[in-house]
Amino acid sequence: MIAGPPPVSAGSVAPPLFIGSDIYRGSSYGARHPLRVPRVSTVMDLARALGWLPQDRFRTSPRAKPAALSLWHEPAYIAALQAAEAMGEATEDMRTRFHLGTLSNPIFPEVYRRPATGAGGVMLAAELVAATPGVIHVPGGGTHHGLPGRANGFCYLNDVVLGIKVMQRAGLTRIGYVDLDAHHSDGVELAFAGDPGVRMISVHEEGRWPFTGLLTDTAGASAFNLPVPRGYNDSEARAVLHDLILPRIAEFRPQALVVQCGADSLLEDPLSRLALSNRAYLEALRALLPLAPRVLVLGGGGYNPWSVGRLWTAIWGLVSGRDLPESLPDHAQTVLAVLGWGGGGRPDPAPQMLTTLLDAPREGLVREEIRDRLAVLAHR
């Protein structure tokens, strides 16, 4: 029998905290990369425009030092990442050995500092919640593809793995991980495959890069993977929430929970073919928050600047106890109005994406293929 987490009294719970940084402001992976768009800076600006980010709820993310990053990443890779930033380019050895300077993982001015800041924020959040239960939102985190010795899928470091390892080092022995990104969390699964102290659940689009996370993939009994078909809607997400995510997390009784909220499962995202509204993410979070005394809520993917900014701001509103407005005040609308794609010929956003925080619900049929896959996982 697994012992439950230690009791948590109301007085020992820290107030919700937001960890961010201005390093994201103006930082871009380059004019041809999907991550040329602003994301974290939009969340900070929109939250401040709504009056949701007082100074006592905000912490500036530290930049993780190489020694801290070596908790999972190989020192030679960390040194190469630093050298690539200093030189402003990748050598042929960096490209072939570390996958730096590729189309997916280009060299840009903050190629070490930016991911090290994201990692530092998640590692700080992990230390804080390990010491004092509470909820911390780190929208700059969620880089779930990073591998020990190379960049992978736009992710130079894996802050998710580093954060979980920090909590393990602090003595937590049951940590749940829920990944709502459109892409499978291959780096996190690699790190914790076969670890009975980490339960991983990933819901991701079938047939999409990195082409891992099959229904039959259990990661040594540590993971539940659910590939979903294109057009995945709010009704289907609700079925997945109640038939897979909530029961599997509740039975695990985690001492801490990490939720990766990559925004690329939203209908407007250009890099997936899923069809969620941001309400589906909020519904999942609202149900998950009571299941662990310590919760880290991270960002992740998301390549439409308007849908990402609105979702992650709404998430902060939810976890910090704010009333989420249907319509935005003028000064908040201004934050969204000045956003752009940074090139690439993408269409202008629908008018409601400039004036509202919450999407209209995107309900639909729960398809038999999803019910069948849930049935398979229910018998695991």
Side-chain angles (χ1 to χ4, degrees):
M1 182 175 179
I2 301 175
V8 178
S9 65
S12 66
V13 176
L17 193 65
F18 183 114
I19 296 180
S21 172
D22 277 332
I23 196 170
Y24 301 101
R25 197 174 300 281
S27 174
S28 166
Y29 277 37
R32 297 185 178 183
H33 197 282
L35 281 174
R36 63 184 177 273
V37 300
R39 304 191 319 157
V40 178
S41 57
T42 301
V43 181
M44 295 191 296
D45 292 344
L46 195 52
R48 287 181 174 130
L50 289 164
W52 291 356
L53 203 56
Q55 194 57 41
D56 64 343
R57 296 293 182 90
F58 180 84
R59 289 283 293 271
T60 297
S61 175
R63 186 190 310 163
K65 292 180 168 56
L69 298 174
S70 66
L71 186 60
W72 194 57
H73 289 285
E74 297 170 7
Y77 170 61
I78 299 167
L81 195 56
Q82 291 177 292
E85 178 175 289
M87 295 188 300
E89 61 182 1
T91 64
E92 183 59 32
D93 180 64
M94 290 175 181
R95 277 189 288 274
T96 56
R97 184 178 174 190
F98 302 117
H99 291 202
L100 296 174
T102 65
L103 288 175
S104 292
N105 313 305
I107 305 304
F108 60 98
E110 305 86 11
V111 70
Y112 169 74
R113 287 172 290 157
R114 174 169 161 169
T117 298
V122 176
M123 295 176 85
L124 171 62
E127 290 176 354
L128 292 173
V129 297
T132 306
V135 183
I136 303 181
H137 184 32
V138 194
T143 55
H144 58 174
H145 298 306
L147 299 176
R150 65 177 176 88
N152 186 45
F154 309 170
C155 301
Y156 298 87
L157 300 170
N158 198 314
D159 55 67
V160 179
V161 172
L162 291 164
I164 292 174
K165 285 188 172 290
V166 165
M167 288 190 282
Q168 289 180 322
R169 189 171 58 182
L172 300 184
T173 57
R174 288 195 315 286
I175 300 167
Y177 176 65
V178 176
D179 194 301
L180 304 177
D181 196 286
H183 301 82
H184 177 242
S185 50
D186 55 340
V188 183
E189 187 170 294
L190 173 68
F192 299 109
D195 186 338
V198 179
R199 171 160 292 185
M200 299 172 281
I201 300 175
S202 178
V203 183
H204 46 271
E205 185 177 356
E206 65 181 359
R208 183 161 296 281
W209 189 94
F211 309 108
T212 53
L214 301 179
L215 186 68
T216 53
D217 174 13
T218 70
S222 292
F224 294 86
N225 282 298
L226 179 62
V228 295
R230 63 189 302 163
Y232 180 61
N233 62 48
D234 288 5
S235 302
E236 292 171 326
R238 186 173 302 113
V240 170
L241 176 66
H242 289 281
D243 292 351
L244 170 64
I245 297 174
L246 295 179
R248 292 304 189 177
I249 292 298
E251 72 183 9
F252 190 63
R253 291 181 297 159
Q255 296 161 312
L257 181 61
V258 180
V259 187
Q260 200 267 22
C261 293
D264 44 9
S265 296
L266 294 170
L267 175 66
E268 297 84 2
D269 197 88
L271 293 195
S272 82
R273 295 297 178 264
L274 306 182
L276 295 185
S277 76
N278 57 19
R279 293 175 186 263
Y281 287 80
L282 298 173
E283 184 175 344
L285 269 177
R286 193 175 289 111
L288 283 166
L289 287 173
L291 298 186
R294 304 164 179 86
V295 183
L296 300 187
V297 184
L298 310 181
Y303 309 96
N304 178 310
W306 296 276
S307 62
V308 175
R310 291 163 71 248
L311 170 62
W312 293 349
T313 303
I315 285 172
W316 170 242
L318 171 66
V319 302
S320 60
R322 307 290 181 165
D323 293 327
L324 306 186
E326 294 284 346
S327 298
L328 291 169
D330 289 346
H331 47 294
Q333 291 188 32
T334 300
V335 174
L336 295 172
V338 299
L339 297 178
W341 288 104
R346 297 284 182 185
D348 291 335
Q352 63 268 25
M353 295 191 74
L354 303 179
T355 60
T356 64
L357 189 64
L358 298 174
D359 298 328
R362 291 163 183 164
E363 307 291 346
L365 293 175
V366 180
R367 287 167 283 181
E368 284 303 315
E369 56 199 300
I370 288 183
R371 293 193 186 279
D372 290 346
R373 294 171 195 181
L374 287 172
V376 170
L377 293 176
H379 290 93
R380 278 255 323 269

